[in-house]
Structure formats: C-alpha cells, structure tokens
Amino acid sequence: MDALETLRQQLPSEAKDLKLNLQSVLTGGSLDEETRWGVALASALTTRQPALIDAVRQDASVSDEVRSDAEAAAALMGMNNVYYRFRHFVSEAGSPDYELPARLRMNRMARPNDKRSFELFCLAASAITGCELCVTSHEKVVRAAGLTAEQIHDAVRIAATLHGIAIALDSGGAS
C-alpha cells in the first residue's frame, strides 16, 4: 500500500478519521484480498478523483480479470446509476411516463469474469452515487450468490471511505 500510504499521509488533520479508516478497511475484514482491492478499484474509479485512482491502481494486486470487472462495473454504474436514479425520482413523483425499456447496452453485465465479485463492485459504485434502485438490486444479487451481510458491509465501508478521501483531496485537503 505504498502509493495509498503516501496519499494518506498527505491528507490534512481534518481528515484524520479517513486516514485511520483507510488503513483499516483495506486490511483484513471478511473479504478476500483480491475482492477487497477490486471493490477499492471500482470505488476509486467511481469517485473520479485522479490521485486516488492512481494510488489504488498502483497498490491493487489483482488479476487482469478482477481489474477488468472493476473497471467495467464503475463505468456501467456511471451510466446506470444516473438512468435508474432518474426513473426512481420520477416514479416516486407519480409519473408513469418513463416506464419504458432502458434501451441502454449493458451486455458486459451479463458476461463478467466473476459474477459475484462484479455485482459487489457494482453495489459499491452504486452506494457512492446513491442510486437506491441499483443498490437494492445488486445487494439482492450478491446475497443470493452467498455473500454475507458482513462482506457487503465491508465493501460499502471501503466505498464510503474512498469517497470521503476523494472529497478531502478535491477540496484541496492534500498538502
């Protein structure tokens, strides 16, 4: 974790909790190391914070398949979270006008390298962007695939921590 450690040390004192959380969420826990780093990569990409993305890419010791799934999950959730959040908002407002087929290509979702991990990466990305429909949909899929509440919790803790770090970095918090 050399690159992330360097980034962590650059965070201001106001981000002390994030510094501590970064260290704890990326070590140990209920997720295996490759899944943990896949979640971190998908989460960092979702934040769109260049220094964070670069640090996670440098430190993530993952297979090409996990890297590909994390990148695909972040990109597809970038599209889907906007679209499905819109549909949720307008349906909650009582408008049935948009109950139409999405007509957005999502073929990569049907052919991930590892379905369970890919769905967990999608869940983490969706938690960051706040799409309720996507969060609940992906949570159901990973639960049905055998992941525990603790594993899901650990993935969302990674996503939340990286999102907070991205905000600290974007606000000029790194020295």
Side-chain angles (χ1 to χ4, degrees):
M1 279 188 20
D2 294 340
L4 278 170
E5 181 57 27
T6 299
L7 193 66
R8 191 176 85 82
Q9 293 304 323
Q10 294 173 3
L11 292 170
S13 59
E14 294 82 8
K16 181 180 180 183
D17 291 327
L18 294 170
K19 287 180 178 186
L20 297 171
N21 290 338
L22 179 62
Q23 206 165 21
S24 69
V25 301
L26 290 177
T27 57
S30 63
L31 297 171
D32 65 75
E33 185 173 359
E34 195 161 53
T35 302
R36 186 170 52 248
W37 281 102
V39 168
L41 181 56
S43 298
L45 290 164
T46 300
T47 71
R48 300 184 334 181
Q49 208 299 323
L52 181 59
I53 293 167
D54 185 52
V56 172
R57 277 192 167 139
Q58 287 182 50
D59 289 350
S61 178
V62 297
S63 66
D64 290 343
E65 291 81 12
V66 169
R67 187 174 303 277
S68 176
D69 277 352
E71 291 172 354
L76 284 170
M77 292 306 100
M79 173 183 70
N80 286 355
N81 293 166
V82 170
Y83 178 76
Y84 287 105
R85 199 168 52 233
F86 163 78
R87 291 217 12 203
H88 178 76
F89 289 157
V90 295
S91 70
E92 288 290 312
S95 177
D97 295 345
Y98 301 101
E99 294 176 9
L100 304 167
R103 291 195 309 266
L104 295 171
R105 292 187 60 101
M106 299 176 241
N107 292 334
R108 180 62 166 80
M109 290 183 76
R111 293 188 306 276
N113 292 301
D114 179 70
K115 179 76 169 161
R116 189 167 82 163
S117 294
F118 179 81
E119 290 288 338
L120 189 63
F121 304 159
C122 290
L123 173 61
S126 298
I128 289 171
T129 62
C131 179
E132 180 181 353
L133 291 175
C134 293
V135 166
T136 57
S137 173
H138 293 290
E139 189 271 344
K140 285 179 188 170
V141 171
V142 295
R143 286 304 294 257
L147 288 179
T148 66
E150 183 179 9
Q151 290 170 312
I152 295 164
H153 182 253
D154 283 351
V156 175
R157 287 175 58 240
I158 293 167
T161 300
L162 292 182
H163 182 63
I165 288 170
I167 290 171
L169 292 170
D170 284 345
S171 66
S175 50

